[in-house]
Amino acid sequence: MNTNTQRTAKSPFKSRPSQEGQQSKPLNERFVYQDDEVIDKPFNWAEFKRLFAYMKPYARQMIPLVVLMMVLGTITKLAVPFLTSMAIDGAIAPEPPAVPNARLLLILTGIVLLLYIIQWGANTYRIKYTNIIGQRVIYDLRADLFKHIQKLSFNFFDKRPAGSVLVRVTNDINSLQDLFTNGAVNVLIDCVQLVGIVVILLLINWKLAVAVMITVPLMFIISTRLRVRIRRAWQDVRMKNSRINSHLNESIQGIRVTQAYTQEHENMAFFDHMNFTSKRSWDKASAMNQAFGPLIEITGGLGTLVLFWFGAYLIQTGQLTIGYLVAFATYVGNFWDPINRLGQMYNQLLVAMASSERIFEFMDEKPAISDKPGAVSLPPIRGDIELEDVVFEYEKGRQALKGISLSVTAGQSIALVGHTGSGKSTIINLLSRFYDITSGKLTIDGYDIRDVTVESLRSQISVVLQDTFIFSGTIRDNIRFGRLDATDEEIEAAAKAVHAHEFITHLPGGYETEVEERGTVLSMGQRQLLSFARALLANPRVLILDEATASIDTETELKIQDALKVLLQGRTSFMVAHRLSTIRNADNIIVLDHGELVESGNHDQLMKKQGVYRGLVEAQFRFL
Ligand SMILES: Nc1ncnc2c1ncn2[C@@H]1O[C@H](COP(=O)(O)OP(=O)(O)OP(=O)(O)O)[C@@H](O)[C@H]1O
């Protein structure tokens, strides 16, 4: 179920009135985030097993040790009240005619001390090993998730804000950390302790044991009802957090636009609203969580009342000793503790299950683009490309391309022109198979691109996108991204060929200059030259270029034109072209209009036609 963001909470920040004195558009009409799916299923055992399968690799090596420590810790803990009862009944206040026995008391105290030391040692080792297992499981889960996300296709990312993807790899995985480091083992310890205590209580005096535990079924019924609500509340918290992260991510990426349009206040108001809603849902979930504690305490209190009332009666009738009553009281005290912890743990488990459902939901997402069974490896290509009646829809029923047919011979340069939204980028996205065509046929050297492996196809095609992405690292590393095994000399040769060498050597660290994320240290023109060097290094047979529209100075433009000539030599190329100089040199110009191919030919032929192309060129000149 996808719902739009609901905004009902009162926020201290208000939208500013517009200049005309009218209230600006309400915030809830300005930002719309799609919520992650609300996953509302009963406790999923299959998913639970799948999650715990991550422990399997470490089970044989570590778990026997952890279990041994756990058993040691539990036995020593359970033995102490029993020894206490022995001390009371045998050494401190024995039934007359026996007298207090100081020696026995000393021995029993020594044993208790020894047990405490063993308990401390066992717990220390247990915590250490469970932490090691927990960390390894989290590491494996995160690695698996990241590996899978990297394989997912464009359409997956089209649908989701980057922030919500981020949350699953960070927050959702982190929320499993507690479960794997302490939670799982604590549950086992508590269960073993509970069973142990019940058995001991029954052995000491079954009548008193039954009387004390009479309230347990009642507590069980109430808590089961609470659990469902708690589970939903925690899911809601996760969803709200995911929204905050999406907005945060967008706000940081778009901070320049926000500041340029002085929208900080509005942005803050929106964020504040989200923050408030998130806090409120956290409060709600946490309040429900807290309800567990008092529930146990009330039940425990009732149990204690029964214990002393009925216990006193049993002592008076000679069915129980004082020592056993004290031991009984201690065991009963220890009985509610694990139950309380198990209740809390159950909540922690619910939180973890909500997270794991979200993680597995991503892991189960099949990449829309994948190798079909029997896909062959595309041999080294010449670069003949054929599009036959290609139709493509990003969303069902809305055609972005409406039957494009196009024949390109190896080595030709193709310029794609047309109004904004006419389908230029869509064509180049299809060539690299970032999306699969809806109908028609797309072949390279006669191979249908859906019949070959994605890797063999993409490794022979280089794509230079409009928004050149510069990764954090050195300039050299960024060029090397084109071909990881390239030598330093090859990198510099590629940079020289596309005229990037000059500006690189003028940077403070030359090729070793560290560039920041998204390459803001570099100008648009420089970023483009760098991406040309990257593409040249990859030496592809087919080159796809989404030309940047940013206005750059004439000198850089000339450099880019020169660089392009080098880059395009001997390759089949597709270019989303905006500059007349680029278009004029193309072998074939494809003019698109609303997803249809309306004209094609070289510059001179198209100019004579008096059609869409001529109109575009003349419009460009009118602005000069
Ligand atoms: N990821 C997407 N999901 C849904 N629709 C999309 C997506 N990308 C593009 N479209 C739609 O497909 C159509 C063609 O878009 P395309 O990006 O190919 O245009 P373009 O010619 O490259 O435009 P521009 O010159 O502005 O970059 C447009 O109507 C656009 O709204």
Side-chain angles (χ1 to χ4, degrees):
M1 178 180 67
N2 281 338
T3 49
N4 289 340
T5 309
Q6 299 291 314
R7 287 173 204 94
T8 47
K10 282 199 180 114
S11 150
F13 290 85
K14 294 274 184 299
S15 299
R16 286 183 314 190
S18 67
Q19 276 177 338
E20 293 79 33
Q22 291 165 339
Q23 191 69 18
S24 57
K25 201 172 183 185
L27 285 167
N28 56 353
E29 287 175 29
R30 299 172 58 190
F31 298 95
V32 176
Y33 289 100
Q34 293 223 310
D35 281 338
D36 281 321
E37 292 229 335
V38 179
I39 309 159
D40 197 8
K41 288 175 268 170
F43 190 88
N44 191 332
W45 278 103
E47 217 136 74
F48 180 77
K49 276 193 209 149
R50 185 173 171 189
L51 189 64
F52 274 83
Y54 274 86
M55 283 180 103
K56 225 175 173 179
Y58 311 107
R60 194 179 287 180
Q61 194 189 350
M62 300 254 187
I63 289 184
L65 207 63
V66 171
V67 170
L68 179 72
M69 297 299 154
M70 192 181 85
V71 170
L72 261 181
T74 312
I75 291 178
T76 48
K77 190 169 181 185
L78 292 183
V80 173
F82 190 74
L83 291 170
T84 315
S85 77
M86 279 174 74
I88 294 172
D89 291 342
I92 301 170
E95 289 241 346
V99 287
N101 184 339
R103 196 161 164 268
L104 180 63
L105 186 63
L106 200 68
I107 293 171
L108 289 172
T109 314
I111 296 175
V112 169
L113 185 69
L114 188 71
L115 289 181
Y116 275 130
I117 293 172
I118 296 174
Q119 199 180 332
W120 170 79
N123 287 348
T124 310
Y125 273 95
R126 193 200 73 230
I127 292 168
K128 180 179 160 187
Y129 285 112
T130 46
N131 273 337
I132 293 175
I133 297 177
Q135 289 309 325
R136 290 189 186 172
V137 167
I138 294 298
Y139 174 92
D140 291 348
L141 250 172
R142 190 175 281 140
D144 270 9
L145 183 61
F146 184 70
K147 190 170 152 201
H148 186 72
I149 288 175
Q150 285 226 102
K151 281 194 261 165
L152 294 176
S153 313
F154 279 23
N155 69 341
F156 172 84
F157 298 97
D158 287 347
K159 285 183 281 180
R160 290 172 178 82
S164 86
V165 179
L166 212 80
V167 173
R168 301 208 186 186
V169 190
T170 52
N171 293 13
D172 281 328
I173 298 261
N174 285 347
S175 77
L176 296 179
Q177 198 143 332
D178 267 356
L179 180 71
F180 280 111
T181 43
N182 299 314
V185 175
N186 284 345
V187 166
L188 273 179
I189 294 176
D190 286 337
C191 288
V192 172
Q193 256 188 45
L194 267 183
V195 173
I197 290 173
V198 171
V199 171
I200 294 173
L201 289 183
L202 287 171
L203 286 177
I204 294 178
N205 190 306
W206 71 267
K207 286 185 215 155
L208 188 56
V210 171
V212 166
M213 284 184 281
I214 209 111
T215 44
V216 173
L218 179 73
M219 184 191 69
F220 191 76
I221 294 167
I222 302 175
S223 65
T224 313
R225 298 214 166 163
L226 247 170
R227 275 174 204 155
V228 178
R229 296 177 58 196
I230 290 177
R231 180 164 184 267
R232 291 203 185 121
W234 281 118
Q235 272 188 345
D236 193 50
V237 171
R238 304 245 141 241
M239 228 163 61
K240 301 269 162 48
N241 277 348
S242 177
R243 255 190 229 160
I244 288 196
N245 278 286
S246 304
H247 183 66
L248 210 68
N249 187 54
E250 206 173 283
S251 297
I252 294 168
Q253 302 242 30
I255 189 75
R256 288 170 186 79
V257 183
T258 306
Q259 291 185 357
Y261 285 89
T262 57
Q263 292 287 315
E264 294 94 328
H265 194 85
E266 277 74 5
N267 219 7
M268 186 61 225
F270 184 69
F271 184 78
D272 180 67
H273 169 86
M274 283 187 141
N275 208 4
F276 182 75
T277 336
S278 159
K279 180 187 158 295
R280 206 174 46 179
S281 73
W282 200 92
D283 286 346
K284 205 171 138 193
S286 145
M288 282 191 203
N289 240 6
Q290 304 301 325
F292 247 99
L295 184 70
I296 307 286
E297 265 165 37
I298 291 173
T299 325
L302 282 176
T304 313
L305 280 181
V306 174
L307 170 73
F308 285 111
W309 175 78
F310 193 47
Y313 164 77
L314 289 175
I315 289 176
Q316 280 165 2
T317 52
Q319 297 179 59
L320 193 74
T321 63
I322 295 183
Y324 275 132
L325 182 72
V326 173
F328 216 100
T330 320
Y331 281 124
V332 169
N334 286 346
F335 175 77
W336 300 116
D337 273 351
I339 288 205
N340 198 0
R341 270 200 306 270
L342 282 174
Q344 304 279 3
M345 253 317 294
Y346 189 77
N347 293 334
Q348 196 185 350
L349 184 68
L350 293 182
V351 175
M353 287 311 288
S355 286
S356 71
E357 279 173 51
R358 288 154 53 84
I359 291 166
F360 289 138
E361 192 210 2
F362 268 21
M363 283 208 198
D364 291 340
E365 180 89 28
K366 299 256 178 306
I369 308 296
S370 58
D371 295 343
K372 73 177 199 187
V376 292
S377 177
L378 182 66
I381 52 177
R382 287 187 312 278
D384 292 323
I385 297 178
E386 199 86 39
L387 275 80
E388 275 177 48
D389 202 19
V390 168
V391 173
F392 178 71
E393 296 171 353
Y394 286 101
E395 293 148 10
K396 215 170 167 45
R398 201 163 76 92
Q399 292 188 344
L401 295 180
K402 302 170 182 165
I404 304 280
S405 294
L406 180 65
S407 192
V408 181
T409 40
Q412 265 193 329
S413 59
I414 308 295
L416 298 165
V417 297
H419 292 291
T420 183
S422 56
K424 306 180 292 289
S425 303
T426 305
I427 290 196
I428 63 175
N429 278 337
L430 295 182
L431 291 170
S432 289
R433 217 184 147 204
F434 290 129
Y435 299 90
D436 265 339
I437 57 177
T438 308
S439 68
K441 204 168 177 194
L442 202 169
T443 62
I444 294 188
D445 289 358
Y447 286 89
D448 188 316
I449 61 169
R450 286 167 295 188
D451 295 340
V452 298
T453 60
V454 179
E455 215 241 316
S456 68
L457 171 76
R458 291 194 189 148
S459 63
Q460 300 193 58
I461 300 178
S462 268
V463 188
V464 179
L465 294 173
Q466 204 176 70
D467 181 16
T468 314
F469 200 94
I470 304 290
F471 294 96
S472 308
T474 64
I475 294 267
R476 193 184 296 283
D477 291 339
N478 264 288
I479 301 179
R480 187 172 273 131
F481 202 80
R483 183 158 56 85
L484 297 181
D485 61 357
T487 62
D488 285 356
E489 289 71 34
E490 285 173 318
I491 288 172
E492 284 173 32
K496 277 183 187 147
V498 298
H499 303 295
H501 182 73
E502 199 189 328
F503 92 77
I504 295 172
T505 45
H506 279 103
L507 290 171
Y511 281 87
E512 305 311 323
T513 309
E514 294 273 347
V515 278
E516 301 300 319
E517 194 193 17
R518 296 193 70 81
T520 35
V521 163
L522 304 171
S523 74
M524 280 294 277
Q526 290 170 335
R527 289 169 62 166
Q528 211 171 19
L529 289 179
L530 208 64
S531 66
F532 285 177
R534 193 190 272 169
L536 188 67
L537 197 66
N539 195 20
R541 291 297 310 140
V542 177
L543 183 75
I544 293 171
L545 239 147
D546 208 341
E547 197 186 54
T549 45
S551 53
I552 41 176
D553 61 83
T554 329
E555 202 191 322
T556 315
E557 160 124 30
L558 286 176
K559 270 189 191 156
I560 287 184
Q561 284 314 316
D562 234 26
L564 269 178
K565 263 189 220 145
V566 178
L567 200 58
L568 300 185
Q569 235 163 38
R571 310 173 204 282
T572 308
S573 65
F574 282 81
M575 239 183 310
V576 173
H578 299 280
R579 295 190 197 96
L580 194 60
S581 43
T582 314
I583 304 169
R584 196 191 277 274
N585 295 329
D587 296 322
N588 197 7
I589 300 164
I590 305 297
V591 187
L592 295 169
D593 191 26
H594 292 97
E596 282 177 272
L597 193 161
V598 286
E599 284 171 15
S600 69
N602 65 26
H603 175 75
D604 295 333
Q605 290 165 340
L606 292 178
M607 283 305 276
K608 280 190 200 122
K609 267 194 176 162
Q610 308 269 353
V612 179
Y613 179 74
R614 195 186 167 109
L616 283 168
V617 172
E618 284 173 355
Q620 211 174 70
F621 275 112
R622 268 203 296 279
F623 280 105
L624 290 178

